[in-house]
Amino acid sequence: MQENIEDLILLQDIDKKIQEIKSKLKSIPSEIQELKEKKENLIFKLDEIKTKIKKLQTTKKEKELDIQSLEDKILKIQNNLENVRTNEEYKALLREKARAEEIIMHTEDEILEIMEEIENLQKEQQKLEKEIEIEASIIEKEIQEKEKILKDLEKELKHLEEEKKKIESKIPSNLLSKYKMIKKKGLPVVAFIQDQSCSGCYMVIPPKLYSEIIKGKKVSTCPNCGRFLYYNES
Ligand SMILES: [Zn+2]
């Protein structure tokens, strides 16, 4: 009798461990996925900066070309100035030249701003590259650790399942099926008796049943919650 209840407790301990391992086996893969995404995000951020820099460099080149063509235009105007015949024409050309010079100045300012922006982004890029170098190796290590834990847990689970089979084979089938039925409602299946009460539902155990359990006559269940009851003499 006592042997049976002890086996049931053993089985319950194993079931508890199996449950814990299974829930870890469920959560670890998503933790690994999160780490991978964290790493990808860092690289994505870096790519974004690189793209921004490239865009700015293209814009800068375009503006430099604009200046070039305006300078060509000014040269042409200067040539034309020597050949004009009327005062009106002369004034018009001068105005056109002044406007071109103004645009050049404005564009040069814009180029300076772009260069500053590029410089800032390049600094940010360098900082991020260093960060990624450090962070990525930390993340990689964490991933490897978690993958190792996964493997170990799978091994442990296999071992526990084998242990479970061994113990189940020792338990009489009627008790085992009862155990499985109670387990469906959730652990614990075996409740200890504390102060003459069931530790599963806290109901006071009727005196007659209580004395039977103490004498260890049979494996009993709680009349209220149905769990197996176990009395620990010590
Ligand atoms: Zn109970």
Side-chain angles (χ1 to χ4, degrees), residues 5 18 21 39 41 58 60 78 87 91 122 129-130 137 165 167 176 182 186 219 224 226 232:
I5 194 84
I18 287 175
I21 288 178
K39 195 173 149 192
N41 273 343
T58 308
K60 183 178 163 249
Q78 267 165 346
N87 211 14
K91 272 182 184 167
Q122 280 170 336
E129 276 169 345
K130 262 184 207 159
S137 71
K165 266 187 208 150
I167 290 168
L176 187 61
I182 302 170
V219 175
N224 185 44
N232 196 351

Side-chain angles (χ1 to χ4, degrees), residues 35-61:
L35 284 168
K36 281 181 180 166
E37 275 163 20
K38 202 171 150 194
K39 195 173 149 192
E40 277 161 17
N41 273 343
L42 284 175
I43 292 166
F44 178 72
K45 230 168 119 189
L46 181 65
D47 284 342
E48 258 184 348
I49 292 176
K50 282 182 185 169
T51 310
K52 259 192 211 165
I53 291 174
K54 247 183 214 158
K55 248 188 185 166
L56 284 170
Q57 278 166 338
T58 308
T59 312
K60 183 178 163 249
K61 203 158 264 168

Side-chain angles (χ1 to χ4, degrees), residues 3-17:
E3 238 172 64
N4 283 338
I5 194 84
E6 272 162 15
D7 283 340
L8 287 172
I9 290 169
L10 222 56
L11 180 59
Q12 168 172 280
D13 286 344
I14 288 178
D15 273 335
K16 216 167 141 192
K17 277 184 200 154

Side-chain angles (χ1 to χ4, degrees), residues 192-198 203-218 220-223 229-233:
F192 291 88
I193 297 171
Q194 270 170 349
D195 302 326
Q196 214 178 313
S197 304
C198 165
M203 197 202 75
V204 176
I205 296 156
K208 189 167 169 271
L209 179 61
Y210 183 63
S211 68
E212 274 175 13
I213 294 167
I214 287 178
K215 284 176 201 153
K217 274 189 182 163
K218 63 179 177 114
S220 304
T221 53
C222 170
L229 289 169
Y230 175 66
Y231 178 72
N232 196 351
E233 285 163 65

Side-chain angles (χ1 to χ4, degrees), residues 132-187:
I132 287 174
E133 205 181 311
I134 296 164
E135 192 74 7
S137 71
I138 291 171
I139 291 173
E140 199 48 51
K141 224 178 186 176
E142 277 180 66
I143 291 173
Q144 280 174 6
E145 271 167 23
K146 286 196 189 290
E147 276 167 351
K148 192 186 173 295
I149 290 171
L150 260 187
K151 256 189 207 159
D152 290 348
L153 285 175
E154 272 159 10
K155 233 188 260 170
E156 206 184 328
L157 181 64
K158 217 176 148 193
H159 171 74
L160 285 169
E161 303 271 19
E162 280 164 17
E163 283 294 297
K164 185 179 166 171
K165 266 187 208 150
K166 267 188 225 162
I167 290 168
E168 278 182 345
S169 71
K170 282 164 67 182
I171 297 170
S173 63
N174 63 325
L175 279 183
L176 187 61
S177 54
K178 203 166 184 181
Y179 173 93
K180 284 179 180 168
M181 238 172 61
I182 302 170
K183 200 188 135 202
K184 273 183 197 159
K185 287 189 249 168
L187 292 172

